[in-house]
């Protein structure tokens, strides 16, 4: 039995969960999410919790059992509380600002970099343009957008300049040794 798959998912009061044609629909105060349930997995919903049961012990069903339970648990947490990712900008002259649906970055290039923020993401700029806070109900989209923003100027290993996740450690290298 999968250690993750056999755990129950507790449902908060404001969250509604339904299953139609092997698709789970989760709705809460922060939004709606859908995900397909793989073949061989059955979802049992009660008033206060959700339980996933696999029909047999095939290798694929064992893998899907824990995966679908984790995804639905993330969906329930996302529509009830939401997820946050924080990014830091380090470097002289590096900063950002929000203009409409874009975040405009000054990252040491010869031009400003415009990054379009999807509607599912709420962005907030703090600390005079040196900290970006992203909020969303969808963990997958949030992680992808945070990775795309970080890839605009990843932290370099000599001075540590660039965009990094909050709390990320970048091992710095020594520069050239003098002769």
């Amino acid at each position: 039995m999968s250690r993750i798959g056999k755990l129950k998912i507790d449902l908060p009061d404001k969250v509604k969960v339904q299953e139609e044609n092997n698709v789970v629909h989760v709705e809460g105060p922060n939004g709606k999410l859908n995900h397909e349930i793989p073949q061989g997995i059955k979802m049992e919903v009660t008033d206060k919790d959700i339980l996933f049961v696999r029909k047999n012990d095939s290798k694929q069903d064992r893998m899907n059992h824990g995966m679908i339970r984790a995804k639905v648990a993330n969906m329930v947490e996302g529509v009830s509380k939401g997820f946050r990712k924080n990014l830091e900008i380090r470097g002289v002259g590096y900063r950002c600002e929000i203009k409409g649906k874009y975040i405009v970055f000054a990252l040491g290039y010869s031009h400003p970099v415009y990054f379009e923020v999807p509607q599912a993401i709420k962005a907030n700029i703090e600390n005079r343009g040196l900290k970006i806070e992203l909020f969303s109900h969808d963990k997958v989209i949030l992680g992808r957008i945070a990775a795309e923003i970080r890839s605009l100027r990843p932290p370099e290993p000599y001075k540590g300049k660039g965009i990094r996740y909050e709390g990320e450690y970048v091992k710095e290298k020594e520069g050239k040794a003098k002769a």
Side-chain angles (χ1 to χ4, degrees):
M1 193 67 156
S2 169
R3 282 182 270 157
I4 300 296
K6 68 181 177 182
L7 298 174
K8 291 183 179 182
I9 302 170
D10 294 328
L11 287 176
D13 295 333
K14 303 171 189 173
V15 176
K16 296 176 188 170
V17 176
Q18 294 177 341
E19 180 189 3
E20 289 180 14
N21 302 328
N22 277 351
V23 176
V24 61
H25 302 279
V26 181
E27 184 177 343
N30 288 336
K32 299 178 186 178
L33 293 171
N34 304 317
H35 196 279
E36 186 175 338
I37 299 173
Q39 295 294 328
I41 305 294
K42 190 176 95 177
M43 184 172 96
E44 298 174 355
V45 180
T46 63
D47 292 340
K48 296 183 180 181
D49 55 18
I50 304 171
L51 182 65
F52 288 95
V53 180
R54 65 175 182 253
K55 295 177 182 169
N56 60 37
D57 262 355
S58 71
K59 186 173 183 177
Q60 188 64 47
D61 285 350
R62 286 182 297 173
M63 289 189 297
N64 288 339
H65 191 203
M67 181 214 48
I68 192 65
R69 189 262 175 210
K71 286 193 176 202
V72 172
N74 285 337
M75 291 167 57
V76 168
E77 184 179 346
V79 297
S80 62
K81 298 180 207 170
F83 296 102
R84 292 190 191 287
K85 281 260 192 209
N86 296 322
L87 298 160
E88 298 173 345
I89 300 176
R90 293 192 186 172
V92 176
Y94 290 13
R95 63 187 167 281
C96 66
E97 61 183 342
I98 295 180
K99 288 188 179 177
K101 62 179 183 175
Y102 293 95
I103 300 177
V104 182
F105 292 93
L107 297 172
Y109 297 121
S110 61
H111 58 281
V113 178
Y114 287 82
F115 185 84
E116 185 175 355
V117 180
Q119 287 185 341
I121 304 275
K122 294 178 185 129
N124 188 22
I125 306 295
E126 299 173 357
N127 196 12
R128 298 185 313 259
L130 298 177
K131 186 176 180 184
I132 306 165
E133 184 179 61
L134 302 173
F135 176 82
S136 179
H137 65 284
D138 192 345
K139 191 173 189 177
V140 175
I141 293 175
L142 181 67
R144 183 175 50 83
I145 294 300
E148 287 178 16
I149 290 174
R150 184 184 182 276
S151 72
L152 295 174
R153 180 68 92 165
E156 53 100 8
Y158 294 101
K159 293 184 182 177
K161 300 188 316 182
I163 302 173
R164 62 176 76 186
Y165 298 114
E166 185 178 57
E168 179 182 1
Y169 174 73
V170 176
K171 186 175 179 182
E172 293 188 10
K173 296 180 179 179
E174 268 188 53
K176 280 187 176 178
K178 291 188 178 180

